[in-house]
Amino acid sequence: MSSASATSAMSASCARHVERAGFFRRSGGRPGEAPHREWLHFSLAQDDLTLLVNFSVVEDGRPAAQPGHERHRVVVLVRKSGVWEGDAEELPPEQCFVAGGAIYAAMGAHSLDFVEDRFRLHLKLARRPIEVLLELAPVSHPVVVNNVRLEPGSAPIHWLVVPRLRADGWVDIDGSRHEVRGRLAYHDHNWGRFSHSGLSWYWGHAAPMRAVDPFSVVYARLLSRNQGVCYMHSLMLWRNETPWRVYRDTEVRVEPVGRRRATGVVVPRSASLLAAEVGVDLPARLQIEVRRGGDRLEGSFESVDLARIVVPHDEDLGTTVIHEVFGVLRLRGCVAGELIEFAGEAVFEFLGAGR
Amino acid sequence: MSAAAQQLLEEALGCVERECAAAFAGMRAALAGRCVQLSLPGESFIVSLEALAVQEPALRIETSARVIHQLVMGELDVLEAIRMDRLKLTGSTASLADGFDAALLFLKGVTRCLSADALLRRLEQLSYSEGMS
């Protein structure tokens, strides 16, 4: 088998894996339980352009909502030359179709599909001059994590993560087209019956600055709302397409160092006043240390700037703010006898309370 | 004199009362029976959450629909609006603080209403049409 055909077969294998596991679950509509929620999240890093896209479908838990009603939201955030822009749009149900059991969503002018071994995304914001057309071909196998237990008595959360996809297409910002050719992207998919009011997380991923660098990194820490209980803690390392190492619990030490102000663009724009800037505990830096057997990794995530996504709770008057923090992740050490020196643009999510 | 802003606010308050009772109850507790006078270009009215409003307004707000829309959309900061003389607030310190709490609860309530987007679009239309009539 030639190198090219081997690469093609590998990509097809990754894509099949994603297609079989990464489909929309949708809601079953169970009164009395926390609302079903799920989202497909994508991230792209290219030179000084970072793109975040999120398609979410959530069972409508508002008291006035009809049973079985779902809310459909699309978030598009771009960071160009250090400036964040974007919006979060909630689309009316009559303009939306989400295919349970498949990877397909049409939400107003936005669409998400999985055809010929790749995601196809089209996004066009109504009130901001941003349009995106991308094909994202998985070039790493996903890790699927099922049944992560949250607080006692609650349903578990599930997720799938694909740290490396090949992105092609374009991003239009304010009339200026940015071509995307063979750049690295990231995808995750979360689903379950939970409420943001009971949950917090640190979640980060990094694509290497050099595309030839074989490593991809995903960090996840799920916590109770007050961060007193850790439900899951892991740092995952891929080598090329292969999930290579998963370090868990006490094998991973991550310490916040310093604080940064929670300033930056807020989406949806209409919730700007609900995003607090004071009393939010955002680390300026995360100090990271991994130890298991002979494996050693040390490094840090240095935050640069951020955007904020406001999520009002359905069940109370609280608000969760998802801080999308752009920065640089550096890891250095030795894994399975192989020296690693990783540097990559990263996006970490830190959850906090809004007003 | 137009009553478009008053009508929009009353509809929004009705939505909050019906669809987000906790926010409405919080607003009432924050205002504690006090009235607010809202003065916009071409329109001035009293806002009260009580059935019988017999008091003088404890808080007077002079601004425009445009500024309110900009504040809601994060395009303008409250202090910035005051400094630019686009938002004038008159009342005791306690009334100002409680009024801000009530406004925030109103926003929390409206955000959770099924018709939130439609109400916001109407506010935007109002801000565009302001001064044209």
Side-chain angles (χ1 to χ4, degrees):
Chain A
M1 186 181 283
S2 71
S3 171
S5 60
T7 302
S8 174
M10 177 276 293
S11 297
S13 167
C14 294
R16 274 196 300 277
H17 200 166
V18 170
E19 191 169 24
R20 285 174 187 160
F23 54 88
F24 276 102
R25 266 65 181 180
R26 298 286 302 285
S27 164
R30 296 179 200 166
E33 291 188 358
H36 175 91
R37 63 180 71 234
E38 72 179 295
W39 60 85
L40 274 72
H41 185 87
F42 300 88
S43 174
L44 165 75
Q46 167 171 298
D47 302 327
D48 69 343
L49 173 71
T50 300
L51 169 73
L52 304 180
V53 173
N54 191 293
F55 283 81
S56 81
V57 55
V58 181
E59 197 173 7
D60 196 341
R62 293 176 294 183
Q66 293 180 348
H69 184 264
E70 289 176 326
R71 303 179 75 177
H72 307 83
R73 297 192 190 99
V74 174
V75 175
V76 181
L77 285 166
V78 292
R79 180 185 182 274
K80 181 79 180 83
S81 305
V83 177
W84 287 91
E85 169 63 287
D87 210 348
E89 294 181 354
E90 178 155 356
L91 291 311
E94 62 273 17
Q95 291 180 19
C96 299
F97 177 74
V98 179
I103 304 175
Y104 180 83
M107 299 186 185
H110 317 291
S111 63
L112 160 68
D113 205 350
F114 195 89
V115 179
E116 295 175 349
D117 293 343
R118 64 201 61 211
F119 291 97
R120 288 184 181 169
L121 306 183
H122 181 225
L123 302 129
K124 185 171 171 54
L125 289 176
R127 304 171 68 95
R128 297 281 157 179
I130 296 174
E131 185 171 2
V132 177
L133 186 68
L134 284 177
E135 291 189 351
L136 303 166
V139 289
S140 62
H141 285 288
V143 162
V144 183
V145 179
N146 281 310
N147 298 310
V148 178
R149 187 171 173 269
L150 304 178
E151 60 189 330
S154 70
I157 188 172
H158 322 272
W159 49 278
L160 169 150
V161 60
V162 187
R164 193 178 281 227
L165 305 94
R166 181 195 148 103
D168 292 280
W170 46 261
V171 179
D172 277 0
I173 307 169
D174 205 11
S176 177
R177 176 154 297 186
H178 305 273
E179 299 286 345
V180 176
R181 293 281 171 262
R183 305 307 294 228
L184 295 180
Y186 162 91
H187 165 60
D188 68 47
H189 178 178
N190 295 258
W191 67 95
R193 292 186 169 278
F194 58 92
S195 163
H196 280 293
S197 63
L199 193 59
S200 179
W201 66 69
Y202 286 19
W203 190 294
H205 58 87
M209 287 174 182
R210 300 167 300 164
V212 292
D213 192 329
F215 301 106
S216 306
V217 182
V218 174
Y219 172 73
R221 188 180 202 176
L222 281 177
L223 302 145
S224 60
R225 184 65 172 189
N226 64 8
Q227 304 198 355
V229 181
C230 180
Y231 302 126
M232 186 202 73
H233 190 203
S234 65
L235 186 140
M236 287 165 279
L237 196 61
W238 278 253
R239 194 180 191 289
N240 295 314
E241 76 276 14
T242 307
W244 200 39
R245 289 287 186 277
V246 180
Y247 302 102
R248 295 172 57 177
D249 303 326
T250 55
E251 295 169 347
V252 185
R253 280 184 57 129
V254 173
E255 299 291 336
V257 179
R259 286 186 176 187
R260 67 164 304 121
R261 284 194 67 189
T263 56
V265 68
V266 176
V267 299
R269 305 283 173 158
S270 57
S272 295
L273 288 171
L274 301 182
E277 289 187 10
V278 292
V280 180
D281 198 11
L282 285 185
R285 182 157 60 101
L286 294 177
Q287 199 67 37
I288 302 167
E289 191 178 314
V290 174
R291 295 275 186 277
R292 186 170 76 199
D295 291 359
R296 298 274 190 277
L297 284 172
E298 288 181 2
S300 65
F301 167 71
E302 298 278 353
S303 69
V304 175
D305 49 39
L306 62 103
R308 295 172 286 173
I309 303 170
V310 173
V311 185
H313 304 163
D314 282 343
E315 67 281 6
D316 59 34
L317 293 178
T319 302
T320 291
V321 182
I322 303 172
H323 302 88
E324 300 282 356
V325 183
F326 173 84
V328 176
L329 179 74
R330 295 182 195 280
L331 287 174
R332 191 175 182 186
C334 181
V335 172
E338 185 171 349
L339 290 175
I340 292 178
E341 185 144 5
F342 178 92
E345 290 185 343
V347 177
F348 271 63
E349 287 185 345
F350 302 111
L351 264 60
R355 285 176 170 143
Chain B
M1 183 176 270
S2 164
Q6 184 174 9
Q7 188 182 343
L8 176 58
L9 183 61
E10 283 174 359
E11 283 182 37
L13 284 168
C15 282
V16 174
E17 187 175 14
R18 286 191 307 275
E19 299 183 26
C20 192
F24 194 80
M27 290 174 66
R28 284 189 69 190
L31 289 176
R34 285 168 290 187
C35 303
V36 178
Q37 181 167 23
L38 183 58
S39 299
L40 307 171
E43 195 174 348
S44 183
F45 53 93
I46 301 286
V47 183
S48 171
L49 303 185
E50 308 302 325
L52 293 172
V54 293
Q55 296 175 325
E56 278 291 298
L59 177 61
R60 289 184 166 84
I61 303 171
E62 194 177 335
T63 185
S64 65
R66 178 80 183 137
V67 168
I68 294 171
H69 185 257
Q70 286 178 315
L71 290 171
V72 170
M73 298 300 282
E75 295 165 2
L76 187 63
D77 179 69
V78 173
L79 288 178
E80 194 182 355
I82 292 170
R83 281 195 203 104
M84 295 164 69
D85 230 15
R86 299 179 66 195
L87 173 65
K88 291 179 189 170
L89 303 171
T90 311
S92 67
T93 308
S95 292
L96 289 169
D98 293 341
F100 183 76
D101 286 347
L104 205 55
L105 283 159
F106 174 61
L107 193 62
K108 284 168 175 270
V110 170
T111 302
R112 288 164 172 81
C113 288
L114 300 181
S115 56
D117 285 347
L119 292 167
L120 190 62
R121 276 196 299 275
R122 283 177 59 193
L123 175 61
E124 185 178 28
Q125 287 163 4
L126 201 60
S127 75
Y128 286 141
S129 62
E130 203 166 50
M132 292 173 70
S133 56

